[in-house]
Amino acid sequence: MRNPFRVRRALTPTARVRRLRRRITVLFALTSAAGLVAMAVLAVRSDGVRWREQLDQAMSADTNWALGLLETDEDGRLDTEVLLDNAGTACPPLFLLAVPSASSVPDAPDAAGGLVVEHAPGRPCLTVSAASVRQAAATAVRADEPRSRDARTVDGEPVRMFALPFYPPDAEEDALPQGALVTVADASAQRADHRRLTWVVTGGCALLVLLSAGVGHLLSGRAVRPALEVLDRQEAFLTDAAHDLRTPAASLRTLAETALRGETDSTDVHRRTLRLAETMGTLVDGLLTRARLMSGTAPLAVEPLRLDQLVEAVAEDAATEGQRVAVRAPGAVVAAADPDLVRRAVANLVGNALVHGHLPGERAQVEVTVGGEGATATVTVEDAGPGLPPEVAGALFDRFRSGSGSTGLGLSIASWVAHAHGGSLTAEPGRRGGARFVLRLPAGGPPSDG
């Protein structure tokens, strides 16, 4: 009895996409199998018809030649003397059957088919039953046209029988057949070849079905890969949002509870609330930027950009009391890039250096150098901090990683911006013992008036 309270487990979106891939693979394999089976059946049947037609043509030629040697006497009776003197009727076996009225022995009719055997080879190379011969001849006489059929010898070997009706001399068009010539051909070799072809075609179809299933699995994998990537990006975005917003949200909740209990000054509460709101806004902005970059929905507005001026503006906005951001630019440096995205990448690098690029108890001193190397424009951000920890060097630009090992998105966003422009972002030890980040972008032509 079915349990009405049984809860069916819901599949995750990724599981549903993978199940869809399996269904596509099965459907592709079944469709290929149906087509291959239809072609295999057609090929096997065509081969069966072909070898039978070949044997029938050979036996028709033999019987027609023998028919030319068949004569009748003045009384209209069959005379087989010329036929027996000039034709070897033992191999292939040749039988002559006549209707009783035209037989030389009319008092010995054949009970099975109404035909009398006028001639049968004494020692034929293929021995078939008399009933099979009479049935083949009777069928041709009744149909009034040549007939062929499959049969077997007394030993069970496959043969092909051909019966050709013949008519009295000077017979009218509506005259009835006088009898039939029946010949037999060995079909064992043709059947063996046909059986071999059947097995080859069957095995080939099986291999092709397996191959089509593998190809279908690969094609369906490529077809659903964009959907899986979108789901992975969505899951990563939700994970990032939950991870990064959890701490400021908890701090904001704690601050609100403290304010309700009246345990702190309202001015301090407002100041801390504003700072937390700014932090959460920055986090949300970074998450949305990363999501747009990963999904490709943030189009690049590439234009000639004065990289030195942009870096100077970012450094001026990022500098705080007691911290120094020095910019060195030998001259005008132009890059072909999106101004908004590059501004965010440079701001993230400078901000990371200000936060993590100094020793405990000391103020940050950051140097930003703008230069050009042929077709590449570079921005180098160097600090005097503790340097890059070896345990995070390999995953420095992954999400949730930074120079101090804390979580964050700044460096990963800067790396994505660089790669979106066809550039790169690398990290290496600096001259002052700290970290040096080098952002490389494609160089551009003369900057626009804007």
Side-chain angles (χ1 to χ4, degrees):
M1 181 177 180
R2 186 176 180 180
N3 186 3
F5 300 101
R6 183 178 180 181
V7 179
R8 185 176 182 180
R9 185 178 62 178
L11 295 176
T12 63
T14 301
R16 288 199 295 269
V17 172
R18 296 187 184 279
R19 184 177 64 178
L20 176 62
R21 180 188 181 184
R22 292 192 294 269
R23 290 181 176 179
I24 293 175
T25 301
V26 172
L27 180 61
F28 188 85
L30 290 178
T31 303
S32 302
L36 289 172
V37 168
M39 294 179 61
V41 171
L42 180 62
V44 171
R45 288 185 176 179
S46 299
D47 182 73
V49 172
R50 179 190 57 80
W51 71 261
R52 287 179 171 86
E53 288 180 348
Q54 290 177 349
L55 285 181
D56 291 347
Q57 290 176 1
M59 291 188 294
S60 176
D62 292 340
T63 52
N64 277 282
W65 177 77
L67 184 61
L69 302 177
L70 189 63
E71 298 179 352
T72 57
D73 57 16
E74 296 178 353
D75 297 332
R77 296 183 178 183
L78 293 175
D79 185 1
T80 61
E81 183 177 354
V82 177
L83 174 63
L84 298 178
D85 291 342
N86 294 274
T89 61
C91 195
L94 181 65
F95 301 87
L96 176 62
L97 293 91
V99 296
S101 59
S103 175
S104 60
V105 284
D107 55 341
D110 172 60
L115 296 173
V116 175
V117 178
E118 292 285 344
H119 168 73
R123 300 178 63 182
C125 57
L126 295 173
T127 305
V128 294
S129 64
S132 298
V133 174
R134 291 165 179 163
Q135 185 177 1
T139 302
V141 169
R142 284 196 301 267
D144 198 12
E145 62 181 12
R147 289 286 176 161
S148 58
R149 60 190 293 265
D150 291 327
R152 290 192 176 273
T153 65
V154 293
D155 298 330
E157 296 297 327
V159 293
R160 185 78 172 166
M161 302 184 68
F162 183 84
L164 177 67
F166 60 88
Y167 303 85
D170 302 329
E172 299 179 356
E173 293 183 358
D174 56 349
L176 296 177
Q178 190 177 11
L181 286 171
V182 180
T183 186
V184 182
D186 184 11
S188 57
Q190 287 80 0
R191 282 193 173 274
D193 292 340
H194 180 71
R195 190 183 310 109
R196 190 179 303 109
L197 174 67
T198 302
W199 280 110
V200 170
V201 171
T202 303
C205 287
L207 291 178
L208 289 176
V209 168
L210 293 177
L211 180 61
S212 66
V215 173
H217 189 67
L218 293 178
L219 293 178
S220 61
R222 298 191 63 178
V224 303
R225 186 179 303 167
L228 291 175
E229 292 177 352
V230 170
L231 291 175
D232 291 341
R233 287 196 294 265
Q234 179 182 1
E235 183 178 356
F237 175 78
L238 295 176
T239 303
D240 293 351
H243 187 281
D244 276 10
L245 295 177
R246 183 182 296 111
T247 299
S251 300
L252 189 61
R253 177 185 179 90
T254 302
L255 184 61
E257 292 175 350
T258 303
L260 287 176
R261 292 194 299 266
E263 298 177 358
T264 184
D265 182 55
S266 61
T267 302
D268 183 57
V269 170
H270 293 160
R271 186 183 303 109
R272 293 169 62 186
T273 302
L274 179 60
R275 186 165 60 249
L276 287 173
E278 291 176 350
T279 302
M280 295 180 68
T282 303
L283 289 175
V284 171
D285 191 20
L287 288 169
L288 294 177
T289 300
R290 188 186 71 84
R292 288 195 295 269
L293 286 174
M294 292 186 65
S295 63
T297 58
L300 297 179
V302 178
E303 61 183 49
L305 169 66
R306 280 290 299 272
L307 192 58
D308 55 313
Q309 295 178 354
L310 183 143
V311 171
E312 290 176 356
V314 171
E316 183 179 352
D317 294 339
T320 59
E321 183 179 356
Q323 295 179 329
R324 185 176 65 87
V325 179
V327 178
R328 294 190 303 172
V333 178
V334 182
D338 187 314
D340 294 334
L341 292 180
V342 173
R343 181 184 297 273
R344 177 173 293 277
V346 174
N348 288 348
L349 293 176
V350 174
N352 179 78
L354 290 175
V355 174
H356 306 291
H358 61 87
L359 298 175
E362 297 183 3
R363 299 183 184 278
Q365 295 183 1
V366 180
E367 292 184 2
V368 184
T369 304
V370 184
E373 302 174 359
T376 304
T378 62
V379 177
T380 303
V381 180
E382 186 175 353
D383 58 57
L388 300 175
E391 63 272 12
V392 301
L396 192 61
F397 301 124
D398 295 344
R399 56 192 178 98
F400 298 158
R401 304 296 301 184
S402 69
S404 64
S406 62
T407 60
L409 295 170
L411 295 180
S412 62
I413 290 177
S415 178
W416 287 321
V417 170
H419 286 90
H421 288 83
S424 64
L425 177 62
T426 58
E428 57 190 26
R431 293 178 291 103
R432 297 179 294 168
R436 177 190 296 168
F437 294 90
V438 182
L439 175 65
R440 295 178 176 85
L441 299 172
S448 61
D449 295 338

